[in-house]
Amino acid sequence: GGPGGPAGPAAEDGGPPAPGRVLFPPTFSVSEIKNKQRRHFMFLRWKQQQRKEKLAAKKKRRKEREALGDKAPPKAVPKTIENQREYDETTVDPNDEEVAFDEATDEFAPYFNRQTVPKILITTSDRPRGRTVRFCEQLATVIPNSHVYYRRGLALKRIIPQCIARDFTDLIVINEDRKIPNGLLLSHLPDGPTAHFRMSSVRLRKEIKRKGKEPTEHVPEIILNNFTTRLGHSVGRMFASLFPHDPQFIGRQVATFHNQRDYIFFRFHRYIFKSEKKVGIQELGPRFTLKLRSLQKGTFDSKFGEYEWIHKRREMDTSRRKFHL
């Protein structure tokens, strides 16, 4: 059915209506029409009329702005979900002493103090299929010093001690459902934390239009966008600690984790400075989107793990303007 009451106004002066305009009685509602096809047709005509009016108003405003020139008032900032975001009391102030102390003593401090060098093990759920295997291989070309291991029935609780013994700093597990990668588990070794993400919109290298050549072995730069709350800060530090601390700018490669509305978009690009003002970028792939499901203290423990944060849809997703990262 249509909306509550699209009522089309008659001509301004009460005279005959302008040609081509849809006329509805003042109290008329499209949803009152019983015939479904007729109702749909009338709704589309009403939407078309609304669009025309909107375009005409936009044209009028533009002409007024051109006529006023420099005296034109500043353009109104459009309302978006992001700029209407509800304030989160855990938003991090960079100058907060408590935050600085936490960062100096958390599990990632040895990495940021350059005491450890990242060494990553990438593995899969049991007996992965082709697409997941290819995704793991491509992910290993993005993250330096990472090694792919195909699981053959070995439990994660047995893999983790072996990783720690071999000086791995992080474990990434790619889960799949019906041959499609759909989950990512990231565990920081040896003491955690462990983050579980839902994964979607996976695009392998060959599926990306206008992709660049294969990435080189240079250490990429890393960009973390919009990780503003305490939880977001922790997740951002987890991603940062996957990459060596000193990027090799000669490689001109950059990995981006962009958080928008609690969805984390990953992109991998190569860039080149064409001039002082122009930059050319080329996507190398793969690309994927993550949504945080839980953050657990310590390494992976499905039975007795202590959770710092769990996404509870019914309780947390009550407002479209409330975000957690």
Side-chain angles (χ1 to χ4, degrees):
E12 300 292 329
D13 54 357
R21 284 178 70 83
V22 186
L23 265 190
F24 297 118
T27 57
F28 174 76
S29 169
V30 167
S31 54
E32 289 171 19
I33 300 172
K34 298 288 185 283
N35 184 306
K36 186 180 178 181
Q37 282 176 307
R38 182 82 186 145
R39 185 173 64 230
H40 182 62
F41 172 70
M42 293 299 277
F43 176 64
L44 289 180
R45 281 184 71 180
W46 174 75
K47 288 290 279 185
Q48 198 175 358
Q49 180 184 310
Q50 297 286 89
R51 207 174 295 125
K52 274 185 184 174
E53 285 173 9
K54 197 176 175 182
L55 280 169
K58 197 175 179 182
K59 211 171 186 179
K60 188 183 171 188
R61 281 199 306 272
R62 192 167 69 233
K63 279 185 178 175
E64 284 173 1
R65 287 185 69 84
E66 283 170 4
L68 286 168
D70 295 338
K71 294 176 185 175
K75 278 189 178 180
V77 178
K79 285 185 178 180
T80 63
I81 293 179
E82 277 82 30
N83 65 25
Q84 299 290 303
R85 175 179 181 164
E86 290 176 14
Y87 177 72
D88 193 311
E89 58 276 4
T90 65
T91 301
V92 171
D93 176 7
N95 303 320
D96 192 333
E97 288 179 13
E98 189 185 339
V99 173
F101 176 76
D102 286 352
E103 286 185 0
T105 55
D106 71 2
E107 300 91 343
F108 308 107
Y111 162 78
F112 285 97
N113 297 335
R114 304 174 192 235
Q115 293 165 350
T116 59
V117 176
K119 184 182 177 187
I120 321 296
L121 181 74
I122 300 173
T123 186
T124 59
S125 52
D126 208 13
R127 294 180 181 81
R129 301 303 177 94
R131 192 173 168 78
T132 308
V133 170
R134 286 196 299 278
F135 175 70
C136 289
E137 287 167 353
Q138 290 183 15
L139 194 61
T141 62
V142 173
I143 305 172
N145 202 16
S146 55
H147 309 266
V148 180
Y149 171 81
Y150 299 111
R151 238 164 101 190
R152 292 172 187 84
L154 198 60
L156 274 184
K157 282 186 182 176
R158 290 182 61 191
I159 291 175
I160 288 168
Q162 293 180 19
C163 287
I164 295 168
R166 289 173 171 80
D167 295 326
F168 281 99
T169 59
D170 293 271
L171 171 69
I172 295 176
V173 184
I174 306 296
N175 291 315
E176 65 166 29
D177 180 41
R178 299 189 185 97
K179 304 182 185 179
I180 295 169
N182 74 330
L184 184 146
L185 187 101
L186 172 57
S187 192
H188 187 68
L189 306 175
D191 303 315
T194 298
H196 181 220
F197 300 93
R198 189 174 77 229
M199 183 191 278
S200 58
S201 308
V202 175
R203 290 281 176 276
L204 299 177
R205 218 159 260 151
K206 68 174 185 181
E207 296 160 354
I208 293 171
K209 291 177 183 175
R210 296 185 291 279
K211 62 182 182 297
K213 290 179 181 175
E214 295 285 308
T216 57
E217 291 185 4
H218 295 94
V219 175
E221 300 160 58
I222 178 165
I223 294 174
L224 298 165
N225 277 344
N226 296 344
F227 293 93
T228 52
T229 64
R230 291 296 289 266
L231 176 68
H233 221 55
S234 300
V235 172
R237 282 170 75 83
M238 278 189 96
F239 289 135
S241 62
L242 294 174
F243 295 82
H245 208 296
D246 297 302
Q248 295 167 335
F249 296 102
I250 193 170
R252 303 197 316 275
Q253 293 179 156
V254 58
T256 307
F257 292 92
H258 173 75
N259 171 41
Q260 192 168 338
R261 304 190 310 277
D262 282 354
Y263 287 91
I264 299 164
F265 299 92
F266 175 81
R267 298 290 183 270
F268 191 54
H269 288 95
R270 180 183 287 127
Y271 62 86
I272 186 166
F273 293 106
K274 293 182 175 178
S275 68
E276 286 182 14
K277 291 181 181 176
K278 278 193 175 182
V279 178
I281 64 168
Q282 200 174 38
E283 190 171 353
L284 302 178
R287 67 162 73 157
F288 53 89
T289 305
L290 300 173
K291 183 97 160 62
L292 184 65
R293 300 290 295 276
S294 66
L295 185 67
Q296 193 181 51
K297 284 186 176 178
T299 52
F300 176 77
D301 190 341
S302 53
K303 266 190 183 176
F304 306 108
E306 184 188 339
Y307 287 89
E308 288 184 42
W309 186 85
I310 298 179
H311 181 232
K312 295 176 180 171
R313 279 179 60 193
R314 290 178 194 279
E315 293 170 30
M316 294 178 173
D317 296 354
T318 50
S319 166
R320 289 185 65 205
R321 298 202 305 264
K322 172 79 177 154
F323 306 119
H324 304 282
L325 295 181

